Amino acid sequence: MLNNVHGILMTNQPGYNLKDLSSIRSISSVPYGGRYRLVDFVLSNMVDDGITDIGVVLQQGYQSLLDHLGSGKDWDLARRRGGLRLLPPFSMVNSNSQRRIYQGKMEALIGLKDYLSEIKQEYLIVADADIVLNISLEDVFEKHIASGADVSVVCSKKFTDSPDYATYFTLKEDGSADQVLTRPEGDCYESLSIYVLSKNKMIELVDYSAARGLNSFSRQVLPLKDKLGLRVVPYLFQGYAARFPTVADYFAKSMDLLKKEVRDDLFNPAHPIRSKDRSDPAAYYGPESKVVGSMISDGCVIEGTVENSIIFRNVKIAKGAVVKNCILMKDVEVGPNASLNCVICDKSVSIGANRTLSGCETYPIVYAKGTKI
Amino acid sequence: MKKECVAMLLAGGQGSRLYALTRNVAKPAVPFGSKYRIIDFPLSNCVNSGIDTVGVLTQYRPMELNAYLGNGQPWDLDKSDGGVHVLPPYLGAGEQGSWYKGTANAIYQNIDFIDMYDPEYVLILSGDHIYKMDYDKMLDYHKRQHAAATISVLEVTLEEATRFGIMNVDENDVIYEFEEKPKHPKSNLASMGIYIFTWSKLRQALIEDENDPASKNDFGGNIIPNLIAKGETCVAYRFSGYWKDVGTIASLWDANMDLLDINSGIRVFDKSWPIFARTNICPPHVSGPDAVITHSLVAGGCSIDGTVDNSVIFENVTIEAGAEVRYSVLMPGTVIKAGAHVEYAILAENAVVEENAVVGEDKGPIAVVAGGVVVDAGAEVSAGAMYTEESKGGDASC
């Protein structure tokens, strides 16, 4: 159990563009997998491994994240001691010294210096909250201690399709990081942006960054590791991991959930992914429904045909409607005899009778929250 | 702090007629309707009616029920003042005690609990009925009638009346007689086991009843007839809506099947009166490439590759390709292997039907497989059978 570790989640990703899905909410609260938000994965991993004090660093568009997390009750984080700490921007700054919203991790933590120094635990796990994976952080932490690293970084060897959004490492013979790259090159590891380091080391690096105007941990601080005498050790994660910088990534990786091996990897009952609980009845299938190769959430009423799709909670699909290769978020309604192919409908989109909407697998069409068609 | 009305939920029943389903759990904790337990219905009704203090009287096999209720959080009953309280039978120093002797004795033993909230009224509920009801409307009626007791009744046919406690009333619905399962019913007003009492009147009646050694300490049989005999006003409150006693295998199955008509009956999809439940953490369910799912309810965590028709499927059920499930209720964690055939059946939690086994037959009667029991490959469980670990190998094998 990681009772000497404090969790810090970063919830925004500058540069990610999920069009209408991310324009109204931070990337961490983008809905995913029928009943989840992206933040649920890393947050649940932390809770499942015994981290009970978690700070969530907010940047902008965080209303939906606040609604989702609430008091932290659904992650057992509504506690008298510790629990969930929400950290909005500008919350600790009164002077004129910081007038713009922070950009990178280091800039965010500079603004949260008081919070950092009050942390009771000796170690930190700092993670981007938009990575979907199910990882034993306990194992990461044990390896961190055993390796004597100053900073451990969880890495994967399965590269994302959009290489511009990650940091890569080449390795020395002793297993520690050699070069820090912004594009993959040769045999290298891709960072999954989950870092383990001691609180004191982090404060040292935050002070260093503040004095030199450094914003980014991965792109500005880690490349200085030799100068700073930092031993950075990648931890190779073998399981399924996904990040979602573009709509095409979001679509393709959501569809990965229709593969049993991916679901078995992500949804381990002994290491569950928790999410906001809602009291929905089970999904109802009508007498003429035809649903194959799909993921269907509670509260749905399905009377039409669904193939190869991810259907979120309380979606209604009327008789005669055909939904193929789609992602339909909460409260979407599809009218009678409508036909949908390769579209992503955000929450509460309503599609009238007999409408035909079609995108393409490499270019799925996104319909913004609440659109009526 | 003073409460206007406190609810007392009688949840100690053994549910012996549900035998294989209640061997290890109290009846109110029996899973119902894909996502719920029976007790979710009265508890959600309380919360939706604005009653935030509920005593749950437990007795028989309370472990699972206690764990399910927990701190009451799923029903918003985790309160600093009020909330849900589990009330088992207890003994004071030097007392010779027993289980709750009857429904009235269960309340009698908890007079101190009720007094703690100093209520004007007490609502008595039982944990084996499926219905949605606004108790606040019933309380208004109780107050308007200046009654000592108000008993919620349902109009049934005279034929059905022989199976219920029947209230005989005058033209103002004032009860002058209570008859338990009358052979020749004079009225068609069946008691639903839902009572509102003015606490001061009930408190006194409970003490008098306890001092009567001949009493069976039962609400229907003793408390209400005694109040009528004393000239207290006892009135019938007519309820019209879906109400089902799920005390038998057949009625439990029926009530589950009623849910498949989502626009009538209990209407679990109606958000204006939600039914809350403690839910497990599980991902959405998945239908495989060859799945056929029609006219059914399917909960989260399931993996469906076979055929499901007219069935109620709880969380984390696996139905393999080539398996068929029709007109059945599959409780959490059941597994139906390839080629197995399940029809007109109730399978309790974590039951396993191995390959090519057959459970039940068309039109029933309902076959029941007890929790955790494995029906071996190729075996047959006949219609109407209660298939348990003990009965295995005997009548059930083919």
Side-chain angles (χ1 to χ4, degrees):
Chain A
M1 298 302 271
L2 300 178
N3 55 10
N4 200 17
V5 178
H6 189 100
I8 298 179
L9 291 179
M10 312 301 293
T11 59
N12 282 70
Q13 281 295 359
Y16 278 30
N17 182 4
L18 297 184
K19 298 187 184 163
D20 285 329
L21 300 179
S22 61
S23 65
I24 54 160
R25 50 172 87 87
S26 66
I27 199 84
S28 307
S29 59
V30 168
Y32 170 81
R35 64 166 297 181
Y36 304 99
R37 303 285 179 139
L38 297 181
V39 67
D40 291 342
F41 289 82
V42 176
L43 182 59
S44 297
N45 289 168
M46 286 183 168
V47 170
D48 288 344
D49 287 334
I51 299 180
T52 56
D53 287 14
I54 297 173
V56 177
V57 182
L58 307 166
Q59 191 208 41
Q60 51 190 351
Y62 53 77
Q63 184 57 50
S64 94
L65 193 60
L66 295 183
D67 286 346
H68 182 69
L69 296 175
S71 64
K73 190 167 73 173
D74 290 314
W75 294 265
D76 290 339
L77 289 173
R79 301 168 78 95
R80 186 156 289 185
R81 286 184 303 146
L84 189 69
R85 271 288 284 283
L86 297 168
L87 304 164
F90 306 118
S91 59
M92 311 275 259
V93 182
N94 286 318
S95 72
N96 291 334
S97 63
Q98 194 194 8
R99 295 300 294 270
R100 63 167 199 162
I101 199 151
Y102 70 82
Q103 298 302 308
K105 212 171 261 123
M106 292 322 270
E107 202 179 353
L109 294 174
I110 290 163
L112 296 169
K113 183 71 190 303
D114 290 350
Y115 162 74
L116 272 183
S117 39
E118 280 167 18
I119 286 173
K120 289 192 224 62
Q121 292 84 357
E122 228 177 309
Y123 292 93
L124 305 179
I125 293 184
V126 183
D128 284 358
D130 52 78
I131 304 252
V132 163
L133 80 177
N134 195 340
I135 185 171
S136 167
L137 294 172
E138 205 169 357
D139 190 55
V140 176
F141 184 71
E142 279 167 14
K143 298 249 164 56
H144 173 78
I145 299 297
S147 71
D150 294 304
V151 180
S152 291
V153 193
V154 175
C155 291
S156 166
K157 291 211 80 167
K158 294 163 188 162
F159 300 123
T160 55
D161 307 325
S162 308
D164 292 340
Y165 299 93
T167 304
Y168 303 84
F169 303 101
T170 59
L171 259 56
K172 291 180 188 164
E173 275 185 10
D174 69 351
S176 68
D178 186 6
Q179 297 181 75
V180 181
L181 307 169
T182 53
R183 280 279 175 119
E185 190 182 273
D187 184 30
C188 61
Y189 283 22
E190 176 183 329
S191 166
L192 295 177
S193 308
I194 298 174
Y195 305 97
V196 188
L197 69 172
S198 72
K199 171 190 146 187
N200 290 338
K201 182 57 77 182
M202 183 53 110
I203 289 174
E204 216 176 275
L205 294 174
V206 165
D207 288 341
Y208 182 88
S209 301
R212 288 163 184 79
L214 306 180
N215 295 337
S216 168
F217 187 65
S218 58
R219 303 223 160 173
Q220 293 179 309
V221 176
L222 289 184
L224 300 174
K225 65 184 175 56
D226 295 333
K227 188 174 166 199
L228 294 167
L230 279 184
R231 188 157 179 272
V232 177
V233 177
Y235 169 96
L236 183 60
F237 173 64
Q238 306 277 9
Y240 180 85
R243 53 157 63 94
F244 309 86
T246 68
V247 171
D249 289 318
Y250 177 79
F251 186 75
K253 279 158 190 170
S254 291
M255 292 304 174
D256 276 354
L257 287 170
L258 299 176
K259 298 173 190 155
K260 186 171 189 304
E261 63 275 16
V262 171
R263 290 198 304 277
D264 288 348
D265 192 318
L266 287 178
F267 303 121
N268 170 3
H271 205 254
I273 306 302
R274 300 153 198 263
S275 189
K276 184 176 174 181
D277 190 25
R278 291 160 43 96
S279 275
D280 295 312
Y284 169 74
Y285 290 80
E288 292 158 39
S289 74
K290 186 167 181 294
V291 178
V292 291
S294 296
M295 187 173 229
I296 311 285
S297 307
D298 284 352
C300 289
V301 175
I302 299 182
E303 305 196 79
T305 297
V306 181
E307 276 179 37
N308 198 44
S309 295
I310 310 270
I311 311 294
F312 285 66
R313 294 188 268 202
N314 294 329
V315 169
K316 296 196 166 42
I317 299 176
K319 272 185 195 158
V322 178
V323 174
K324 290 184 182 177
N325 310 307
C326 289
I327 298 172
L328 306 184
M329 294 184 187
K330 191 162 81 81
D331 298 329
V332 167
E333 295 193 8
V334 181
N337 303 313
S339 171
L340 277 63
N341 184 32
C342 292
V343 303
I344 300 173
C345 293
D346 202 334
K347 287 166 68 174
S348 305
V349 168
S350 165
I351 294 148
N354 305 313
R355 299 283 170 192
T356 300
L357 310 179
S358 188
C360 159
E361 275 172 30
T362 50
Y363 197 85
I365 310 286
V366 175
Y367 289 90
K369 182 176 170 183
T371 308
K372 302 238 178 312
I373 299 156
Chain B
M1 201 177 82
K2 185 174 174 63
K3 298 277 178 188
E4 188 190 26
C5 183
V6 167
M8 298 295 274
L9 206 163
L10 300 160
Q14 185 174 350
S16 51
R17 288 172 300 166
L18 294 179
Y19 179 62
L21 303 177
T22 49
R23 286 195 310 169
N24 300 313
V25 298
K27 184 157 67 168
V30 168
F32 177 82
S34 257
K35 286 272 291 225
Y36 311 100
R37 309 266 183 156
I38 294 168
I39 197 172
D40 289 329
F41 290 82
L43 274 186
S44 300
N45 286 341
C46 281
V47 175
N48 291 334
S49 304
I51 293 169
D52 67 3
T53 307
V54 184
V56 178
L57 298 123
T58 62
Q59 176 157 291
Y60 171 82
R61 292 270 181 191
M63 193 277 279
E64 201 166 316
L65 184 59
N66 292 351
Y68 185 71
L69 293 172
N71 65 352
Q73 183 245 312
W75 306 270
D76 283 340
L77 288 171
D78 50 336
K79 313 242 330 170
S80 49
D81 177 36
V84 66
H85 297 257
V86 173
L87 303 168
Y90 62 89
L91 286 181
E95 285 176 7
Q96 292 292 315
S98 64
W99 290 120
Y100 291 142
K101 287 181 282 179
T103 50
N105 176 254
I107 306 298
Y108 171 82
Q109 288 200 33
N110 289 288
I111 284 176
D112 289 348
F113 170 79
I114 298 172
D115 280 345
M116 191 163 76
Y117 293 102
D118 189 21
E120 297 300 315
Y121 309 100
V122 171
L123 169 68
I124 309 288
L125 301 169
S126 59
D128 43 12
H129 301 143
I130 304 295
Y131 63 108
K132 287 184 173 183
M133 181 172 173
D134 188 343
Y135 302 135
D136 197 39
K137 285 188 182 157
M138 182 175 166
L139 183 59
D140 278 346
Y141 180 80
H142 177 84
K143 288 188 227 169
R144 278 203 313 274
Q145 302 295 318
H146 303 288
T150 300
I151 293 120
S152 183
V153 296
L154 195 70
E155 292 180 25
V156 296
T157 63
L158 284 178
E159 197 176 296
E160 289 172 319
T162 55
R163 296 190 287 115
F164 289 98
I166 295 298
M167 300 294 159
N168 297 327
V169 299
D170 67 12
E171 66 281 7
N172 297 317
D173 279 350
V174 173
I175 300 162
Y176 65 86
E177 190 184 22
F178 170 84
E179 286 185 290
E180 183 67 35
K181 295 177 184 149
K183 283 209 177 77
H184 306 286
K186 291 176 226 157
S187 138
N188 66 340
L189 299 180
S191 168
M192 297 162 63
I194 301 163
Y195 313 102
I196 289 178
F197 291 96
T198 299
W199 175 229
S200 56
K201 309 269 187 191
L202 175 63
R203 197 178 188 284
Q204 196 191 343
L206 288 171
I207 293 167
E208 286 167 13
D209 178 65
E210 188 65 17
N211 292 332
D212 174 7
S215 173
K216 287 183 173 163
N217 309 113
D218 184 67
F219 271 100
N222 304 104
I223 299 290
I224 290 168
N226 291 350
L227 284 174
I228 295 170
K230 279 166 63 181
E232 296 285 0
T233 310
C234 297
V235 295
Y237 173 75
R238 290 173 189 253
F239 174 77
S240 60
Y242 185 89
W243 178 87
K244 195 124 193 170
D245 182 300
V246 287
T248 64
I249 293 293
S251 63
L252 181 66
W253 181 86
D254 270 347
N256 273 289
M257 292 298 131
D258 286 347
L259 284 179
L260 296 179
D261 193 356
I262 58 170
N263 295 315
S264 64
I266 192 74
R267 291 175 205 261
V268 286
F269 281 82
D270 176 7
K271 294 279 166 59
S272 67
W273 197 267
I275 302 301
F276 302 101
R278 183 180 292 280
T279 45
N280 295 318
I281 308 160
C282 49
H285 69 265
V286 175
S287 62
D290 301 318
V292 178
I293 311 172
T294 45
H295 204 225
S296 295
L297 284 166
V298 182
C302 294
S303 175
I304 315 272
D305 288 293
T307 297
V308 179
D309 183 40
N310 276 291
S311 293
V312 173
I313 313 293
F314 285 75
E315 289 152 355
N316 297 320
V317 168
T318 303
I319 300 175
E320 292 187 357
E324 282 193 19
V325 176
R326 295 183 197 279
Y327 294 92
S328 294
V329 177
L330 270 51
M331 292 187 182
T334 48
V335 178
I336 314 296
K337 297 267 178 80
H341 196 96
V342 176
E343 204 163 16
Y344 286 82
I346 298 178
L347 274 59
E349 287 171 80
N350 301 315
V352 178
V353 179
E354 291 285 354
E355 289 180 12
N356 302 315
V358 176
V359 177
E361 63 184 58
D362 191 23
K363 304 285 186 284
I366 307 308
V368 177
V369 178
V373 172
V374 178
V375 179
D376 295 328
E380 197 172 312
V381 177
S382 53
M386 281 268 185
Y387 195 76
T388 63
E389 208 56 66
E390 300 83 59
S391 71
K392 248 178 109 167
D395 60 336
S397 62
C398 60

